[in-house]
Structure formats: structure tokens, C-alpha cells
Amino acid sequence: MKTPIMMRASTGLLLVAATAMHAAPAFAKDGENAGFYLSAKAGAEFLNDSDFIGIQAPEAGVPGVVDGPAVVDVDFDTGFSINGAVGYDFDDGLIKYLHTRVELEAGYIEADVGGGAFNGGDQSFGGDISNFTLTAGFQTDIVWADDQKVVPYFGGSIGIAVVDANINYFPNNGVATAPTFGVFGSETGFVSRNQIGVAVKASDRFDIFAEARYTRTGDLDFERRFVAGGADGFSADVEDDIESFGIGIGLRARF
């Protein structure tokens, strides 16, 4: 985990959110929805297949071919996501019918490994991958009536993510009974997210919403390691992006 990067990025995100919230009185009109809110949501996450690609450079005693390809294809089972956010609703926007909100959100995604292959071979896979995110962004509500109860919205955000990979596998030849290789590591990367959704005003304070979102975390580097019989030897640096599509429901409370 690249702690200095996380600290600088987290500080920057907090400053962005604080600046936007401090500027709210200059933009917000008097309205029942203007002000701060908290939200929480949970849902299912569908991760795209990953191709962790690198060049083999095995340490002494580690099986492999120097300068040979290292391509670890990984399939994921359906995972889950949980998210919490603090935001400010301006209850108005620069364009008619588009009302702006700003949010600072923390989220977590986890999925088990469903299968895979190394260099196109026949292996058995297991393990999991997780993604913790901290993002800041804008949401835009589509509002065309003062007494509107169902409000569509869309938005996007950027931030940092910490991805933990614990992916292991072994030849599926009836000989190995424990993992012999794996893709491991904890890596910090840049994350971007886009979402669309619809909210239903349950009361003056509470909204219930459903949302679909796409999340991409890029520039991630991990290690393929030889772990048979308690060994722990380096085999190759491998890299890929982590992309996922999620759907979920949540609750938003104004205060």
C-alpha cells in the first residue's frame, strides 16, 4: 500500500469537498432540499474478467522461463459493494431542470475468484479480490416540477482506490493439492466512476434510490509468486485494470 500517495490524495479530495460545501450559500436557493445529507447503499457487483500480463523473471529455485510470457486470466464470481457518502444538495443548477449535488464517498467492493488460466493452460483457481475507494464528484438531479416525487439522476466521480489481490491457482492435473502460484499484492490506483439512478422521495427528509454504476481502477501492478510447499518466490510483475458494473439500492437522509 502506497501510504504517502493515499494521504496526499485523501487530503486533496477532502479539500475539494470542503471548498464546494463552503461555497454552497452563494449558489443555493431557498428550497426544502438544499443542504447537507448522508447516504448509504449496498448492492451486487459484476467484475469484468482480468488479464494480468507480465514477463517472467523467476528467482533462483522458482519454476519458469526467463523472459517468457506471464498471462494470468481470471474470472470473478458476482461480488458485493457497500458505499457511504456525505453530500451537499444545492437544490438548483446552472441549467434549468438540472439540480447539482456534490459528494464525498467511501466504498468497498469484494468478489471471489471463479476460475481462470495461466498462459492458456488448465488450472484450478481460488481466492478473492477487494477494492476500497475514496472519491469526490458531482451528481445531477433531473427536476421538472416542484412537487416531483420520482427524480432521475446521473453523475460521476474520481478518486483513489486500494486493491488487494489474493488470487491462487495450481495445475489441474490431479497431482497438486495446494496452490503453487498466485497473483498477490496491495496496490493504490486512480479510480473513476459513472452512475445513473432514480430516487423516490419517501418524506421531507428521506429518499430511497436505486442506482447502476461503472467503476474503473487503473495502473495496478501485482506480483505472480511461487507458493508451493510453503515457498514464497518471485516469478513476475503483472498488471491490469480492474473494471466492474454494479447495481444497488440505498437511503439518503437530509439534515
Side-chain angles (χ1 to χ4, degrees), residues 73-77 111-116 125-129 166-168:
D73 301 321
V74 182
D75 306 327
F76 298 100
D77 293 333
D112 290 334
V113 174
F125 274 69
D128 56 47
I129 195 166
N166 179 32
I167 300 165
N168 52 73

Side-chain angles (χ1 to χ4, degrees), residues 61-109:
V62 173
V65 179
V66 176
D67 294 331
V71 182
V72 186
D73 301 321
V74 182
D75 306 327
F76 298 100
D77 293 333
T78 300
F80 71 90
S81 63
I82 53 175
N83 302 80
V86 58
Y88 189 92
D89 190 341
F90 292 104
D91 200 34
D92 197 16
L94 298 177
I95 301 175
K96 189 177 181 180
Y97 307 129
L98 301 182
H99 293 190
T100 302
R101 294 182 281 117
V102 293
E103 284 188 351
L104 179 66
E105 180 185 77
Y108 180 79
I109 296 170

